[in-house]
Amino acid sequence: MDKIKKLFAKAIEYIIKYQKIVYPAIALVLAAIVVVVVLNIQMRYDKTPNQQVTNVGIDEGNIPDAQLGVPLEINTDEMLNNLLSDYYAALSIGDSEKLLSICDTFDETELLKSEEQSKYLNYTIQEIYSQDGPVAGSYVAYVYCYVIFDEYPDVNFPYYKGFYIKTSEEGVMYIVNGEVTDAENEYIAGVQDQADVIELINKCNVENSEVILENQYILDYLLELDKVVSTAVGERLAEINASQGNDDGDGNGDGGDTIGDIPLENQTLYATALTSVNVRKSDSAESERLGEVSQGQKLEVIEVQVNGWTKVIYEGQEAYIKSEYLSLIQSAEGVSTIGMMKALDNVNVRSEANTDSAVIGALVKNDSYEIAAVQDGWVMIKFDGILGYVSAEYCECTIFE
């Protein structure tokens, strides 16, 4: 009995740790109580719009609730079944083009994850459940399937996922990954509370527990698989950023990496927090929490890692913060001055040469600062010991001969 308790404790620990994994969610049936589309959380990455699904002309002003409480139906709509079968077939082989063609949006990082995970696993659909959705031509659907690992083909890992599906004016069904209205969210949440949906969830919970007990090695395998996939995705993202001239790394490349056209070699890097965020002892969400930094707080950066974590100096010691919550800035130490600028109005100083980057300070009209570079409508200035960017339209610049 103690052995079983320990195993369940380990399983729950794993599930809590990895409940953020979207594809394939693997051991996350116990953590998947809330349908993904109900959460309606904005991704922190740029969405990739699907150009093949357009002109969705549905009146979403009044959401009926007559369908709520109607039991889910099994495999009743051929078009719906084909859509979801195509979705899981694409996940199984890492077909990003297909995923983009059947979803309204798809996050770039999640596309890369699906491609990497397809090297190790595939899906076998068991049942598709659905009922009419909140607007004409829409459905709330649940897929119950098995995850099959190439390494352990005899292990059928139960898994379910909820979907919100709409139909375009052209009669094409597509999966909604993007924003939905509050009324739609409320309706989908109502479906989630239905007795038959809860029964499906409980079924998956029980079967998951049985698989974990019968195949205790699977948890260790999942941990290792997540590390492998995360590392591969991080490396591919770094390659993409480098090819696009969009440096998000630590400058330890081939000597061509820059921030604002200033070489990073032998330069001290800093980062500002984009929001309040936890500081960890190691690069894991489960490691010891050392504290919290507030939005705008500046930290010295030691290393930007490919696994999505950044090593920083926090209160005199090495610590880790998720990279997505940081914006890199660079020390002005050793950077040449090419001129002077004067602020023509009150204006923000940003960490990068774009209006989407973090605000690291502000200039008051007539403030003067040294210029390090001028590029693409932005002026790089030496601002309180670091390099910042100000829109050139708010500057009067004098460049030295």
Side-chain angles (χ1 to χ4, degrees):
M1 182 63 69
D2 289 340
K3 182 178 181 181
I4 293 176
K5 288 181 179 179
K6 289 180 180 179
L7 181 59
F8 269 113
K10 184 177 181 182
I12 294 301
E13 178 183 359
Y14 173 86
I15 289 164
I16 292 173
K17 181 175 182 179
Y18 290 98
Q19 62 183 319
K20 294 181 180 178
I21 300 174
V22 179
Y23 303 106
I26 308 175
L28 309 185
V29 174
L30 295 177
I33 303 301
V34 181
V35 183
V36 173
V37 293
V38 177
L39 299 178
N40 192 23
I41 297 176
Q42 284 293 313
M43 294 290 186
R44 295 186 178 88
Y45 314 95
D46 293 332
K47 298 282 188 179
T48 304
N50 170 24
Q51 302 300 327
Q52 301 183 31
V53 178
T54 57
N55 301 321
V56 181
I58 299 175
D59 179 10
E60 300 175 358
N62 297 314
I63 304 298
D65 58 5
Q67 298 100 315
L68 286 178
V70 176
L72 295 173
E73 297 181 334
I74 300 179
N75 300 349
T76 57
D77 189 292
E78 182 178 358
M79 189 180 297
L80 177 66
N81 292 341
N82 289 339
L83 174 71
L84 293 172
S85 295
D86 287 347
Y87 176 84
Y88 278 101
L91 282 184
S92 294
I93 62 175
D95 188 345
S96 293
E97 289 187 10
K98 186 65 175 180
L99 291 173
L100 288 172
S101 73
I102 61 179
C103 300
D104 61 344
T105 64
F106 218 105
D107 175 59
E108 179 184 30
T109 302
E110 300 308 328
L111 278 177
L112 295 178
K113 283 184 180 180
S114 69
E115 291 177 10
E116 292 298 325
Q117 289 174 339
S118 69
K119 300 174 182 178
Y120 305 97
L121 55 85
N122 58 79
Y123 301 83
T124 302
I125 293 178
Q126 301 302 304
E127 297 287 354
I128 297 175
Y129 305 85
S130 67
Q131 71 174 60
D132 290 342
V135 297
S138 70
Y139 296 86
V140 178
Y142 296 85
V143 174
Y144 170 70
C145 65
Y146 291 145
V147 180
I148 311 296
F149 303 102
D150 295 346
E151 185 78 12
Y152 302 105
D154 295 331
V155 177
N156 295 326
F157 213 101
Y159 162 61
Y160 89 93
K161 183 178 179 179
F163 296 86
Y164 181 37
I165 295 164
K166 286 186 176 181
T167 305
S168 71
E169 285 186 339
E170 294 82 5
V172 178
M173 282 189 181
Y174 63 97
I175 295 169
V176 179
N177 284 336
E179 289 191 52
V180 297
T181 66
D182 291 341
E184 288 173 304
N185 248 343
E186 183 177 352
Y187 182 94
I188 298 167
V191 176
Q192 182 72 11
D193 289 336
Q194 290 183 182
D196 52 350
V197 176
I198 294 174
E199 183 179 352
L200 172 62
I201 295 171
N202 289 337
K203 173 186 175 182
C204 288
N205 289 350
V206 171
E207 293 182 358
N208 245 263
S209 301
E210 291 173 350
V211 171
I212 292 172
L213 286 172
E214 293 173 3
N215 307 277
Q216 299 182 21
Y217 54 84
I218 205 71
L219 290 179
D220 291 330
Y221 174 73
L222 293 175
L223 287 167
E224 183 61 30
L225 178 59
D226 179 67
K227 291 179 182 178
V228 170
V229 170
S230 296
T231 299
V233 170
E235 291 174 349
R236 291 183 63 184
L237 284 173
E239 292 173 359
I240 291 171
N241 288 332
S243 67
Q244 295 176 345
N246 178 21
D247 180 77
D248 288 322
D250 60 1
N252 296 323
D254 298 326
D257 293 333
T258 63
I259 292 182
D261 289 342
I262 300 297
L264 298 183
E265 185 178 0
N266 298 323
Q267 292 290 328
T268 302
L269 281 179
Y270 295 90
T272 56
L274 297 174
T275 185
S276 296
V277 60
N278 288 327
V279 182
R280 302 285 181 180
K281 188 172 184 179
S282 65
D283 54 349
S284 166
E286 298 305 304
S287 67
E288 179 183 349
R289 180 180 179 275
L290 299 179
E292 180 181 281
V293 296
S294 57
Q295 182 177 359
Q297 185 170 338
K298 185 175 73 172
L299 299 158
E300 183 178 342
V301 172
I302 300 173
E303 179 185 12
V304 180
Q305 302 180 163
V306 297
N307 64 356
W309 290 84
T310 296
K311 186 189 296 186
V312 300
I313 297 296
Y314 173 74
E315 296 185 350
Q317 62 179 314
E318 294 184 359
Y320 294 82
I321 297 176
K322 287 287 287 183
S323 300
E324 65 192 276
Y325 300 114
L326 297 174
S327 179
L328 285 179
I329 52 179
Q330 185 184 8
S331 170
E333 181 181 355
V335 178
S336 300
T337 298
I338 68 168
M340 296 294 296
M341 61 79 67
K342 182 174 72 172
L344 300 176
D345 203 346
N346 299 338
V347 60
N348 287 328
V349 181
R350 296 187 177 272
S351 62
E352 298 176 37
N354 62 72
T355 55
D356 293 328
S357 60
V359 175
I360 59 176
L363 304 185
V364 178
K365 184 178 180 180
N366 294 325
D367 275 352
S368 294
Y369 284 87
E370 296 178 20
I371 298 174
V374 178
Q375 58 182 68
D376 300 326
W378 290 84
V379 179
M380 183 196 297
I381 65 172
K382 296 182 178 182
F383 180 74
D384 294 341
I386 59 177
L387 296 177
Y389 292 84
V390 180
S391 176
E393 68 179 292
Y394 298 102
C395 303
E396 179 181 355
C397 299
T398 301
I399 306 298
F400 300 150
E401 294 293 337

